[in-house]
Amino acid sequence: MKYPPRVMSIAGSAAGGSAGIQADLKTFQELDVYGMSVVTAMVGRHPKTDKNVHLVDMEAMEAQFATAMSQVGVESIKTGMLFTKEAIEKVVELIKLSKIETIVVDPVMIGKMNSKLLKDDAIEVLKDKLIPLAMVITPNVPEASVLLNDRVISTLEDMKQAAVDLYQLGARNILVKGGRLKGPAIDVLFDGETLTTFEAPRIDTVNTSGAGCTYSAAITANLAKGLQVKEAVEHAKSYVTTAIAHSFSYTETVGPTYHAAERKYGETYKIIVEGDLK
Ligand code: PXL
């Protein structure tokens, strides 16, 4: 097609612009895919209360999905913050009806500023209904741990075992992201046969708000462009590493990654990719 591939993010709106839908759309634009969105919730701290999640109702979610599908069309979908089990069930229904197969599920649970992004009673539905539809799931170590009933994951070997065991949930590829462990940032991909590791240098910064969203959005964009899963992950990891390397903060809070960094500085990171049989 002569136009860019069409990609949809089904996720929460992060008012600060670093994460959620905002990070996804910035990433889509940088990677030259056509970005669309279905907002599931708005995350924003109310100055007078501690309430910070404002839900979008099911009808509004369905209307957004239908609009993007009918006015534009969609090649690949990423899901991020879904918050409730009702929202997950609605997304499952919409994805099944759409017959789209390139689905990336980022099982977001807790934000960098400790905002709760998934209710406890939604975890089982996520595991049983949404994850089996995924081409790729992208849990970080704490999320992988929750998905494996609070298993302790603290080494690369633990991550590999986690990826192998999470494969049983029915997604076709499992990417366990090790950014929160010590040492270089190593992620593990399991496709049912082969374990592949992706290694980038650790960038010493606290400003990584939205890094996970950005990474999974970049994978989704690369898949829509026709890359195979391993290449999609490798390229996405380089993109997000460059964005983290140029991250910043306008205030004292944990700041955003710099989505334009790769384009602006022409800088890419060499990702060390190593594969071995299980
Ligand atoms: O970074 C995870 C994340 C995802 N989605 C939304 C968020 C956050 C973090 O704050 O607000 C909407």
Side-chain angles (χ1 to χ4, degrees), residues 12-14 19-20 43 81 108 111 115 117 210 213:
S13 165
V43 180
M81 174 193 181
V108 286
S115 32
L117 303 172
C213 308

Side-chain angles (χ1 to χ4, degrees), residues 121-134:
D121 69 358
I123 290 166
E124 286 312 306
V125 193
L126 179 74
K127 283 164 80 167
D128 295 348
K129 297 195 177 159
L130 183 58
I131 287 180
L133 302 181

Side-chain angles (χ1 to χ4, degrees), residues 40-184:
T40 59
M42 281 153 281
V43 180
R45 276 170 220 286
H46 191 283
K48 296 202 178 110
T49 71
D50 59 3
K51 191 169 176 289
N52 64 355
V53 173
H54 306 265
L55 295 179
V56 167
D57 66 41
M58 299 304 126
E59 208 181 318
M61 277 175 48
E62 206 166 329
Q64 295 174 78
F65 191 88
T67 302
M69 287 295 287
S70 63
Q71 293 185 353
V72 181
V74 176
E75 263 87 46
S76 70
I77 298 178
K78 167 202 156 154
T79 69
M81 174 193 181
L82 300 172
F83 202 60
T84 65
K85 61 172 190 287
E86 291 76 22
I88 297 174
E89 271 161 359
K90 177 55 73 184
V91 167
V92 166
E93 177 195 318
L94 295 171
I95 287 175
K96 280 187 176 162
L97 278 173
S98 76
K99 304 223 164 24
I100 294 165
E101 295 197 347
T102 310
I103 309 289
V104 176
V105 172
D106 188 10
V108 286
M109 296 181 188
I110 298 172
K112 289 264 156 48
M113 263 102 92
N114 271 332
S115 32
K116 197 170 173 66
L117 303 172
L118 184 71
K119 287 189 161 185
D120 295 339
D121 69 358
I123 290 166
E124 286 312 306
V125 193
L126 179 74
K127 283 164 80 167
D128 295 348
K129 297 195 177 159
L130 183 58
I131 287 180
L133 302 181
M135 175 170 277
V136 188
I137 64 168
T138 61
N140 57 27
V141 163
E143 290 156 357
S145 165
V146 169
L147 293 172
L148 291 166
N149 306 313
D150 299 322
R151 177 189 298 184
V152 175
I153 302 169
S154 44
T155 65
L156 183 60
E157 285 314 305
D158 295 346
M159 284 172 59
K160 290 182 179 175
Q161 192 59 49
V164 170
D165 292 342
L166 285 170
Y167 187 76
Q168 301 305 321
L169 293 178
R172 281 158 282 163
N173 295 271
I174 314 296
L175 181 69
V176 178
K177 302 174 296 181
R180 297 189 188 201
L181 299 184
K182 298 238 171 338

